Amino acid sequence: MGVAQNSEPKEEALALFEDYAPTIEEEEGPILYKRPVQGDLTGDGAPDVLVEFGIGGGGTAVLYKQVAIYLNTDDGMQVVGGFEPEYCPSIDRIEGGTVYVEQLEACALPHPETVATHQYVFDSGRLKRRP
């Protein structure tokens, strides 16, 4: 695996996400929020990207969030899966192959409190909670 040569990883991941966004919105509802977080998920030295996004229900409130996982390959960024925990996630950072995720009290609140922080690692095509 290598770093994509033609664009920045965040920009490339967001462009791929935007291409797929209409399908998500058709199935889930409007995407009201998206935020890329960059870091090395696989230990290969290439920056990978998580795109956190929020789904709304008609107003301006985010009802729930999901995360799309993009790996940096020799062919550029490739979506490899998603992450949908049973809580409202906020990706804090990717550091040393570990994804730090804040568990928010609720997605629909304007300024939710963090109730816990969880650690995940990328393994077998998905994020798994670190033991």
mmCIF file of all heavy atoms in Angstrom, residues 2-25:
data_model
loop_
_atom_site.group_PDB
_atom_site.id
_atom_site.type_symbol
_atom_site.label_atom_id
_atom_site.label_comp_id
_atom_site.label_asym_id
_atom_site.label_seq_id
_atom_site.Cartn_x
_atom_site.Cartn_y
_atom_site.Cartn_z
ATOM 1 N N GLY A 2 0.400 2.291 -0.638
ATOM 2 C CA GLY A 2 1.173 3.512 -0.694
ATOM 3 C C GLY A 2 0.280 4.728 -0.682
ATOM 4 O O GLY A 2 -0.935 4.625 -0.786
ATOM 5 N N VAL A 3 0.907 5.852 -0.565
ATOM 6 C CA VAL A 3 0.179 7.108 -0.525
ATOM 7 C C VAL A 3 -0.285 7.473 -1.932
ATOM 8 O O VAL A 3 0.470 7.370 -2.887
ATOM 9 C CB VAL A 3 1.081 8.229 0.055
ATOM 10 C CG1 VAL A 3 0.373 9.560 0.039
ATOM 11 C CG2 VAL A 3 1.541 7.874 1.451
ATOM 12 N N ALA A 4 -1.519 7.887 -2.054
ATOM 13 C CA ALA A 4 -2.036 8.338 -3.355
ATOM 14 C C ALA A 4 -1.227 9.547 -3.803
ATOM 15 O O ALA A 4 -0.947 10.446 -3.025
ATOM 16 C CB ALA A 4 -3.513 8.691 -3.233
ATOM 17 N N GLN A 5 -0.867 9.589 -5.070
ATOM 18 C CA GLN A 5 0.004 10.630 -5.580
ATOM 19 C C GLN A 5 -0.729 11.857 -6.115
ATOM 20 O O GLN A 5 -0.141 12.900 -6.285
ATOM 21 C CB GLN A 5 0.896 10.050 -6.683
ATOM 22 C CG GLN A 5 1.783 8.925 -6.197
ATOM 23 C CD GLN A 5 2.752 9.345 -5.115
ATOM 24 O OE1 GLN A 5 3.377 10.384 -5.207
ATOM 25 N NE2 GLN A 5 2.852 8.561 -4.064
ATOM 26 N N ASN A 6 -2.007 11.746 -6.449
ATOM 27 C CA ASN A 6 -2.690 12.817 -7.159
ATOM 28 C C ASN A 6 -3.501 13.759 -6.289
ATOM 29 O O ASN A 6 -3.990 14.759 -6.774
ATOM 30 C CB ASN A 6 -3.588 12.223 -8.248
ATOM 31 C CG ASN A 6 -2.769 11.498 -9.292
ATOM 32 O OD1 ASN A 6 -1.642 11.880 -9.562
ATOM 33 N ND2 ASN A 6 -3.322 10.452 -9.870
ATOM 34 N N SER A 7 -3.717 13.466 -5.024
ATOM 35 C CA SER A 7 -4.515 14.343 -4.186
ATOM 36 C C SER A 7 -4.205 14.081 -2.719
ATOM 37 O O SER A 7 -3.526 13.125 -2.373
ATOM 38 C CB SER A 7 -6.003 14.127 -4.458
ATOM 39 O OG SER A 7 -6.404 12.856 -3.999
ATOM 40 N N GLU A 8 -4.710 14.934 -1.904
ATOM 41 C CA GLU A 8 -4.581 14.736 -0.465
ATOM 42 C C GLU A 8 -5.569 13.652 -0.036
ATOM 43 O O GLU A 8 -6.706 13.624 -0.527
ATOM 44 C CB GLU A 8 -4.872 16.043 0.263
ATOM 45 C CG GLU A 8 -3.843 17.115 0.023
ATOM 46 C CD GLU A 8 -2.469 16.737 0.556
ATOM 47 O OE1 GLU A 8 -2.374 16.175 1.657
ATOM 48 O OE2 GLU A 8 -1.491 16.999 -0.155
ATOM 49 N N PRO A 9 -5.189 12.779 0.894
ATOM 50 C CA PRO A 9 -6.083 11.697 1.315
ATOM 51 C C PRO A 9 -7.452 12.181 1.805
ATOM 52 O O PRO A 9 -8.473 11.609 1.424
ATOM 53 C CB PRO A 9 -5.294 11.003 2.425
ATOM 54 C CG PRO A 9 -3.864 11.267 2.067
ATOM 55 C CD PRO A 9 -3.862 12.648 1.481
ATOM 56 N N LYS A 10 -7.495 13.239 2.625
ATOM 57 C CA LYS A 10 -8.791 13.741 3.111
ATOM 58 C C LYS A 10 -9.667 14.190 1.957
ATOM 59 O O LYS A 10 -10.859 13.893 1.921
ATOM 60 C CB LYS A 10 -8.587 14.917 4.078
ATOM 61 C CG LYS A 10 -8.286 14.538 5.489
ATOM 62 C CD LYS A 10 -8.274 15.804 6.332
ATOM 63 C CE LYS A 10 -7.822 15.524 7.739
ATOM 64 N NZ LYS A 10 -7.803 16.755 8.551
ATOM 65 N N GLU A 11 -9.083 14.934 1.027
ATOM 66 C CA GLU A 11 -9.850 15.437 -0.114
ATOM 67 C C GLU A 11 -10.364 14.292 -0.975
ATOM 68 O O GLU A 11 -11.508 14.307 -1.438
ATOM 69 C CB GLU A 11 -8.994 16.376 -0.949
ATOM 70 C CG GLU A 11 -8.643 17.672 -0.253
ATOM 71 C CD GLU A 11 -7.604 18.490 -1.013
ATOM 72 O OE1 GLU A 11 -7.230 18.112 -2.139
ATOM 73 O OE2 GLU A 11 -7.166 19.506 -0.458
ATOM 74 N N GLU A 12 -9.505 13.306 -1.211
ATOM 75 C CA GLU A 12 -9.900 12.172 -2.042
ATOM 76 C C GLU A 12 -11.006 11.366 -1.361
ATOM 77 O O GLU A 12 -11.986 10.973 -2.012
ATOM 78 C CB GLU A 12 -8.694 11.279 -2.340
ATOM 79 C CG GLU A 12 -9.003 10.197 -3.347
ATOM 80 C CD GLU A 12 -7.792 9.366 -3.736
ATOM 81 O OE1 GLU A 12 -6.654 9.743 -3.410
ATOM 82 O OE2 GLU A 12 -8.010 8.335 -4.380
ATOM 83 N N ALA A 13 -10.871 11.115 -0.057
ATOM 84 C CA ALA A 13 -11.902 10.374 0.678
ATOM 85 C C ALA A 13 -13.228 11.134 0.664
ATOM 86 O O ALA A 13 -14.290 10.535 0.457
ATOM 87 C CB ALA A 13 -11.449 10.104 2.107
ATOM 88 N N LEU A 14 -13.177 12.451 0.869
ATOM 89 C CA LEU A 14 -14.404 13.248 0.848
ATOM 90 C C LEU A 14 -15.052 13.240 -0.534
ATOM 91 O O LEU A 14 -16.285 13.185 -0.643
ATOM 92 C CB LEU A 14 -14.138 14.683 1.300
ATOM 93 C CG LEU A 14 -14.060 14.884 2.812
ATOM 94 C CD1 LEU A 14 -13.658 16.322 3.134
ATOM 95 C CD2 LEU A 14 -15.365 14.534 3.487
ATOM 96 N N ALA A 15 -14.254 13.272 -1.591
ATOM 97 C CA ALA A 15 -14.808 13.213 -2.950
ATOM 98 C C ALA A 15 -15.505 11.872 -3.182
ATOM 99 O O ALA A 15 -16.610 11.823 -3.754
ATOM 100 C CB ALA A 15 -13.705 13.437 -3.985
ATOM 101 N N LEU A 16 -14.893 10.783 -2.742
ATOM 102 C CA LEU A 16 -15.521 9.469 -2.869
ATOM 103 C C LEU A 16 -16.805 9.408 -2.044
ATOM 104 O O LEU A 16 -17.819 8.854 -2.486
ATOM 105 C CB LEU A 16 -14.552 8.369 -2.424
ATOM 106 C CG LEU A 16 -13.350 8.132 -3.332
ATOM 107 C CD1 LEU A 16 -12.342 7.224 -2.647
ATOM 108 C CD2 LEU A 16 -13.797 7.557 -4.669
ATOM 109 N N PHE A 17 -16.755 9.980 -0.837
ATOM 110 C CA PHE A 17 -17.936 10.008 0.029
ATOM 111 C C PHE A 17 -19.067 10.790 -0.647
ATOM 112 O O PHE A 17 -20.216 10.342 -0.656
ATOM 113 C CB PHE A 17 -17.590 10.626 1.388
ATOM 114 C CG PHE A 17 -18.757 10.675 2.324
ATOM 115 C CD1 PHE A 17 -19.109 9.563 3.069
ATOM 116 C CD2 PHE A 17 -19.518 11.827 2.447
ATOM 117 C CE1 PHE A 17 -20.213 9.600 3.911
ATOM 118 C CE2 PHE A 17 -20.609 11.879 3.288
ATOM 119 C CZ PHE A 17 -20.957 10.758 4.024
ATOM 120 N N GLU A 18 -18.743 11.940 -1.218
ATOM 121 C CA GLU A 18 -19.756 12.767 -1.888
ATOM 122 C C GLU A 18 -20.390 12.021 -3.064
ATOM 123 O O GLU A 18 -21.591 12.171 -3.314
ATOM 124 C CB GLU A 18 -19.152 14.094 -2.363
ATOM 125 C CG GLU A 18 -18.827 15.057 -1.247
ATOM 126 C CD GLU A 18 -20.037 15.516 -0.450
ATOM 127 O OE1 GLU A 18 -21.167 15.507 -0.975
ATOM 128 O OE2 GLU A 18 -19.853 15.889 0.715
ATOM 129 N N ASP A 19 -19.592 11.220 -3.773
ATOM 130 C CA ASP A 19 -20.134 10.431 -4.876
ATOM 131 C C ASP A 19 -21.180 9.429 -4.389
ATOM 132 O O ASP A 19 -22.142 9.128 -5.093
ATOM 133 C CB ASP A 19 -19.022 9.672 -5.612
ATOM 134 C CG ASP A 19 -18.161 10.579 -6.476
ATOM 135 O OD1 ASP A 19 -18.566 11.739 -6.727
ATOM 136 O OD2 ASP A 19 -17.075 10.128 -6.891
ATOM 137 N N TYR A 20 -20.974 8.888 -3.185
ATOM 138 C CA TYR A 20 -21.873 7.864 -2.642
ATOM 139 C C TYR A 20 -22.984 8.454 -1.770
ATOM 140 O O TYR A 20 -23.971 7.793 -1.480
ATOM 141 C CB TYR A 20 -21.053 6.840 -1.839
ATOM 142 C CG TYR A 20 -21.846 5.613 -1.482
ATOM 143 C CD1 TYR A 20 -22.240 4.699 -2.469
ATOM 144 C CD2 TYR A 20 -22.221 5.356 -0.172
ATOM 145 C CE1 TYR A 20 -22.980 3.574 -2.152
ATOM 146 C CE2 TYR A 20 -22.964 4.222 0.159
ATOM 147 C CZ TYR A 20 -23.338 3.343 -0.830
ATOM 148 O OH TYR A 20 -24.079 2.233 -0.526
ATOM 149 N N ALA A 21 -22.843 9.719 -1.384
ATOM 150 C CA ALA A 21 -23.798 10.356 -0.462
ATOM 151 C C ALA A 21 -25.258 10.259 -0.917
ATOM 152 O O ALA A 21 -26.139 10.012 -0.080
ATOM 153 C CB ALA A 21 -23.400 11.805 -0.207
ATOM 154 N N PRO A 22 -25.580 10.427 -2.204
ATOM 155 C CA PRO A 22 -26.991 10.315 -2.601
ATOM 156 C C PRO A 22 -27.611 8.958 -2.255
ATOM 157 O O PRO A 22 -28.785 8.881 -1.884
ATOM 158 C CB PRO A 22 -26.963 10.539 -4.119
ATOM 159 C CG PRO A 22 -25.741 11.375 -4.342
ATOM 160 C CD PRO A 22 -24.740 10.871 -3.328
ATOM 161 N N THR A 23 -26.823 7.897 -2.345
ATOM 162 C CA THR A 23 -27.321 6.568 -1.986
ATOM 163 C C THR A 23 -27.603 6.499 -0.495
ATOM 164 O O THR A 23 -28.639 5.970 -0.067
ATOM 165 C CB THR A 23 -26.305 5.478 -2.403
ATOM 166 O OG1 THR A 23 -26.092 5.576 -3.806
ATOM 167 C CG2 THR A 23 -26.803 4.090 -2.045
ATOM 168 N N ILE A 24 -26.700 7.036 0.315
ATOM 169 C CA ILE A 24 -26.904 7.063 1.768
ATOM 170 C C ILE A 24 -28.166 7.854 2.095
ATOM 171 O O ILE A 24 -29.010 7.406 2.882
ATOM 172 C CB ILE A 24 -25.687 7.680 2.487
ATOM 173 C CG1 ILE A 24 -24.447 6.822 2.296
ATOM 174 C CG2 ILE A 24 -25.984 7.889 3.973
ATOM 175 C CD1 ILE A 24 -23.152 7.468 2.760
ATOM 176 N N GLU A 25 -28.302 9.027 1.481
ATOM 177 C CA GLU A 25 -29.459 9.879 1.778
ATOM 178 C C GLU A 25 -30.773 9.233 1.340
ATOM 179 O O GLU A 25 -31.787 9.374 2.022
ATOM 180 C CB GLU A 25 -29.276 11.246 1.124
ATOM 181 C CG GLU A 25 -28.161 12.028 1.781
ATOM 182 C CD GLU A 25 -27.977 13.417 1.230
ATOM 183 O OE1 GLU A 25 -28.042 13.581 -0.007
ATOM 184 O OE2 GLU A 25 -27.775 14.327 2.039
#
